[in-house]
Amino acid sequence: MGAVEAGISCGTCIGLLLPLKALANVGDDAFVDFFVGFCTKLGIEDADVCAGAVGTQAPILAHDLRSISLASHAAKNFCSTVFGLCPLQQVIPYSVTFTDAHPLGVEQSATKGHKARQGDDKMERKWISKGRKPFQVVHLSDVHPGSNTICSKVICCRDYGLGSTGPDIEKPAGRFGNKHCDAPVDLVESMLTAIEYHAPNKSFTIFTGDVVESAVWAVNEPDVADDLHLWNGEMQTPSYPAFGNHDIAPVNAFPRASSVAATETQWVFDVAARDWEKWIGKEAARQVATNYGCYSRVHPGTGLRIISVNTNYWYKQNCGSPTPLWLYDHDEPLWDPNGILTWLRNELHDTEKAGQRAWIIGHMPFGKVDAMRDQSNYANQIFDRYHNTIAAHFYGHSHVDEFEISYPDYDDRRAETAQGIAYISGALTPASGNPVFRVYDIDPDTYEVMDFIPYYTNKTEPSFDINPIWKPYYSARQSYGSYLDPPIDDLDSLDGKFWHRVTEVFERDESVFQLFNTRLSRGGKVEDCSGHICKNNTICMLRSMRSESNCAVIQPGLSFKDRKRDTEVSCRSSSPTSLGASWRPSSA
Ligand SMILES: *[C@@H]1O[C@H](CO)[C@@H](O)[C@H](O)[C@H]1NC(C)=O
Ligand SMILES: *[C@@H]1O[C@H](CO)[C@@H](O)[C@H](O)[C@H]1NC(C)=O
Ligand SMILES: *[C@@H]1O[C@H](CO)[C@@H](O)[C@H](O)[C@H]1NC(C)=O
């Protein structure tokens, strides 16, 4: 294993899998012993983390190695993700099929219609704002509940047993947490109060995963269940949650239905169905239980269908957490694990037919290096086909305030060709900057975003430890819109075209780009991004909802050695134990 650190090649990595495959064939116990011993001897983690995290993941790895041929795409993907030794793999081409090749929506605006796709003589509905008063929607993400600020783990402030809490602690966290901590319950409460204060008229809330449920389902942390009840009790308006990669135990391990019997993970979906029903209704809750955590619902009184997708079945990157090893157990890649993309396509078909509009909500955005390139590509074919039906996407996971734009042709990325927009909200957890939630203004006729304001609390202000003050940060429309020439029309939404033009401002005006870079963490954990390479890579990432087009490069090495540095740059995430390759912009 020392060879990994020496920067060996892809071929050598595959060679290395050979004895591991032989060991896997001996049985899980021998395999687990080997990995736990490796982890403990090298001091990669504390012994309890080695036994726990590695011990629960290693049997999955053994299962993978028994299932695949070392000549397969899966083996190369594995060496790429886990060791960073193979280059990111090319997408395996697959054409998603559509029952209607062309938009069939009925033109409802007599004068403003435009022709749909080339060769299609039917009109596609054109969504135009009538300038009516917008309604408000709150967006929360990555709450990550957490006790003490100094501990030996990657993320502190949790009860890890003996020595991790209580009087032995050198420096207890403030009541509302600090930069080493995930969000304490008091901070969650403070945020909920701030939401009531700043957005009293909100229509509903969306949670894009890694919320309180995450640790609740970690079987060894049952006491956090109290957080969930607190959360559930305090949320007064309807809320639409999505599954985060932490929202299962062990973390990230959403096994594909083809890998293990679906019944093994049914419990997690049953818990969600039960807890979410009061918000999403009976029918959507039934879908959660039967459709791997995915559901859709037309929000009452609107023509807006909210489609909540469990994106974790193609989440491959670690971002400080164990790599989802279930992805590597098939020689022949599965185009659509658990049928989720097929379901998404069908939902969008129904939305279009019904003359409704859709929001796609999920945890992991599709454009990041964390997303398997294959499923990201296939999903983008669906987004392209239904771009007129999808009003917007909403995600979290990266912990930073950002966005992703989609285009029909990634070789031609321009404002004129931009056709989709994903809004990515920052995290509540103070470990990733200043805690934040967003409030959107939504047009009631198009369901597009007219504006949003992030509300944040400044964790370095003295008031933070006593009573955090939540303040509006900026208006996206007023702030970024002010740099656009010509300015946008009052009826224009903050769509892909708007945000593409904003990235053009970044290209020519360093100060606006640096403003954006500061705002990523709400000024709470600003990473240096001076120099044109970092800027180019950042802009490239913003201009990509498709993983293969985000300009990311992978770097060799086991990331768990210097994981803190790597994850802060690449993932800005905060979660225990990593077993995966690091990634950072090639400038870094
Ligand atoms: C909430 O709605 C009420 C009634 O329409 C209005 O008077 C009030 O200004 C609104 N509050 C905010 C913060 O928008
Ligand atoms: C947070 O507070 C610190 C200390 O007062 C200040 O220097 C910093 O500019 C503030 N940041 C933001 C984003 O408000
Ligand atoms: C940065 O992007 C610009 C515009 O896309 C391009 O002309 C330039 O060559 C890029 N620079 C680097 C170092 O990639």
Side-chain angles (χ1 to χ4, degrees), residues 61 83 99 140 212 349 359 519-520 553:
L61 180 55
F83 300 119
T99 45
L140 310 175
V212 186
H349 172 89
W359 279 6
R519 287 173 170 175
L520 287 172
V553 291

PDB file of all heavy atoms in Angstrom, residues 61 83 99 140 212 349 359 519-520 553:
ATOM      1  N   LEU A  61     -16.387  -3.214   0.210  1.00  0.00           N
ATOM      2  CA  LEU A  61     -15.261  -3.257  -0.723  1.00  0.00           C
ATOM      3  C   LEU A  61     -14.975  -4.698  -1.150  1.00  0.00           C
ATOM      4  O   LEU A  61     -14.759  -4.987  -2.331  1.00  0.00           O
ATOM      5  CB  LEU A  61     -14.042  -2.632  -0.036  1.00  0.00           C
ATOM      6  CG  LEU A  61     -12.734  -2.559  -0.806  1.00  0.00           C
ATOM      7  CD1 LEU A  61     -12.927  -1.847  -2.137  1.00  0.00           C
ATOM      8  CD2 LEU A  61     -11.675  -1.831   0.017  1.00  0.00           C
ATOM      9  N   PHE A  83      -8.311   5.949  -4.969  1.00  0.00           N
ATOM     10  CA  PHE A  83      -6.876   6.216  -4.862  1.00  0.00           C
ATOM     11  C   PHE A  83      -6.400   7.391  -5.715  1.00  0.00           C
ATOM     12  O   PHE A  83      -5.252   7.798  -5.612  1.00  0.00           O
ATOM     13  CB  PHE A  83      -6.067   4.969  -5.232  1.00  0.00           C
ATOM     14  CG  PHE A  83      -6.364   3.792  -4.349  1.00  0.00           C
ATOM     15  CD1 PHE A  83      -6.875   2.616  -4.871  1.00  0.00           C
ATOM     16  CD2 PHE A  83      -6.126   3.862  -2.982  1.00  0.00           C
ATOM     17  CE1 PHE A  83      -7.145   1.530  -4.056  1.00  0.00           C
ATOM     18  CE2 PHE A  83      -6.397   2.776  -2.165  1.00  0.00           C
ATOM     19  CZ  PHE A  83      -6.910   1.607  -2.699  1.00  0.00           C
ATOM     20  N   THR A  99     -40.559   9.202 -24.650  1.00  0.00           N
ATOM     21  CA  THR A  99     -41.770   8.795 -25.359  1.00  0.00           C
ATOM     22  C   THR A  99     -42.215   9.854 -26.353  1.00  0.00           C
ATOM     23  O   THR A  99     -42.664   9.541 -27.438  1.00  0.00           O
ATOM     24  CB  THR A  99     -42.912   8.490 -24.378  1.00  0.00           C
ATOM     25  OG1 THR A  99     -42.940   9.534 -23.413  1.00  0.00           O
ATOM     26  CG2 THR A  99     -42.740   7.160 -23.717  1.00  0.00           C
ATOM     27  N   LEU A 140     -33.090  25.589   3.123  1.00  0.00           N
ATOM     28  CA  LEU A 140     -32.130  25.196   4.159  1.00  0.00           C
ATOM     29  C   LEU A 140     -31.334  24.007   3.657  1.00  0.00           C
ATOM     30  O   LEU A 140     -31.856  23.160   2.947  1.00  0.00           O
ATOM     31  CB  LEU A 140     -32.837  24.692   5.417  1.00  0.00           C
ATOM     32  CG  LEU A 140     -33.946  25.524   6.009  1.00  0.00           C
ATOM     33  CD1 LEU A 140     -34.549  24.750   7.171  1.00  0.00           C
ATOM     34  CD2 LEU A 140     -33.370  26.827   6.473  1.00  0.00           C
ATOM     35  N   VAL A 212     -31.230  17.369  10.154  1.00  0.00           N
ATOM     36  CA  VAL A 212     -31.104  16.735  11.460  1.00  0.00           C
ATOM     37  C   VAL A 212     -31.194  15.217  11.374  1.00  0.00           C
ATOM     38  O   VAL A 212     -30.575  14.513  12.147  1.00  0.00           O
ATOM     39  CB  VAL A 212     -32.161  17.290  12.423  1.00  0.00           C
ATOM     40  CG1 VAL A 212     -31.956  16.746  13.827  1.00  0.00           C
ATOM     41  CG2 VAL A 212     -32.089  18.796  12.429  1.00  0.00           C
ATOM     42  N   HIS A 349     -42.305  14.221 -17.807  1.00  0.00           N
ATOM     43  CA  HIS A 349     -43.265  14.001 -18.898  1.00  0.00           C
ATOM     44  C   HIS A 349     -44.669  14.376 -18.420  1.00  0.00           C
ATOM     45  O   HIS A 349     -45.390  15.124 -19.088  1.00  0.00           O
ATOM     46  CB  HIS A 349     -43.200  12.538 -19.318  1.00  0.00           C
ATOM     47  CG  HIS A 349     -44.257  12.132 -20.284  1.00  0.00           C
ATOM     48  ND1 HIS A 349     -44.100  12.237 -21.648  1.00  0.00           N
ATOM     49  CD2 HIS A 349     -45.509  11.649 -20.080  1.00  0.00           C
ATOM     50  CE1 HIS A 349     -45.211  11.825 -22.254  1.00  0.00           C
ATOM     51  NE2 HIS A 349     -46.083  11.456 -21.326  1.00  0.00           N
ATOM     52  N   TRP A 359     -39.901  21.842 -10.190  1.00  0.00           N
ATOM     53  CA  TRP A 359     -38.641  22.125  -9.496  1.00  0.00           C
ATOM     54  C   TRP A 359     -38.028  20.782  -9.187  1.00  0.00           C
ATOM     55  O   TRP A 359     -38.735  19.878  -8.688  1.00  0.00           O
ATOM     56  CB  TRP A 359     -38.877  22.817  -8.151  1.00  0.00           C
ATOM     57  CG  TRP A 359     -39.127  24.278  -8.225  1.00  0.00           C
ATOM     58  CD1 TRP A 359     -39.290  25.051  -9.342  1.00  0.00           C
ATOM     59  CD2 TRP A 359     -39.259  25.152  -7.094  1.00  0.00           C
ATOM     60  NE1 TRP A 359     -39.513  26.354  -8.963  1.00  0.00           N
ATOM     61  CE2 TRP A 359     -39.496  26.444  -7.604  1.00  0.00           C
ATOM     62  CE3 TRP A 359     -39.202  24.958  -5.715  1.00  0.00           C
ATOM     63  CZ2 TRP A 359     -39.672  27.548  -6.770  1.00  0.00           C
ATOM     64  CZ3 TRP A 359     -39.377  26.051  -4.887  1.00  0.00           C
ATOM     65  CH2 TRP A 359     -39.601  27.345  -5.414  1.00  0.00           C
ATOM     66  N   ARG A 519     -18.438  35.608  -0.631  1.00  0.00           N
ATOM     67  CA  ARG A 519     -19.814  35.239  -0.303  1.00  0.00           C
ATOM     68  C   ARG A 519     -20.044  33.733  -0.274  1.00  0.00           C
ATOM     69  O   ARG A 519     -21.029  33.260   0.305  1.00  0.00           O
ATOM     70  CB  ARG A 519     -20.768  35.883  -1.310  1.00  0.00           C
ATOM     71  CG  ARG A 519     -20.905  37.379  -1.088  1.00  0.00           C
ATOM     72  CD  ARG A 519     -21.717  38.011  -2.191  1.00  0.00           C
ATOM     73  NE  ARG A 519     -22.054  39.401  -1.875  1.00  0.00           N
ATOM     74  CZ  ARG A 519     -22.677  40.211  -2.718  1.00  0.00           C
ATOM     75  NH1 ARG A 519     -23.026  39.772  -3.924  1.00  0.00           N
ATOM     76  NH2 ARG A 519     -22.973  41.441  -2.365  1.00  0.00           N
ATOM     77  N   LEU A 520     -19.144  32.962  -0.924  1.00  0.00           N
ATOM     78  CA  LEU A 520     -19.307  31.504  -0.926  1.00  0.00           C
ATOM     79  C   LEU A 520     -19.519  30.993   0.491  1.00  0.00           C
ATOM     80  O   LEU A 520     -20.385  30.151   0.741  1.00  0.00           O
ATOM     81  CB  LEU A 520     -18.073  30.825  -1.532  1.00  0.00           C
ATOM     82  CG  LEU A 520     -17.876  30.914  -3.039  1.00  0.00           C
ATOM     83  CD1 LEU A 520     -16.509  30.356  -3.415  1.00  0.00           C
ATOM     84  CD2 LEU A 520     -18.965  30.148  -3.782  1.00  0.00           C
ATOM     85  N   VAL A 553      -9.866  18.139 -12.262  1.00  0.00           N
ATOM     86  CA  VAL A 553      -8.850  17.122 -12.499  1.00  0.00           C
ATOM     87  C   VAL A 553      -8.655  16.372 -11.206  1.00  0.00           C
ATOM     88  O   VAL A 553      -8.915  16.896 -10.129  1.00  0.00           O
ATOM     89  CB  VAL A 553      -7.495  17.710 -12.939  1.00  0.00           C
ATOM     90  CG1 VAL A 553      -7.594  18.290 -14.326  1.00  0.00           C
ATOM     91  CG2 VAL A 553      -7.015  18.749 -11.942  1.00  0.00           C
TER      92      VAL A 553
END
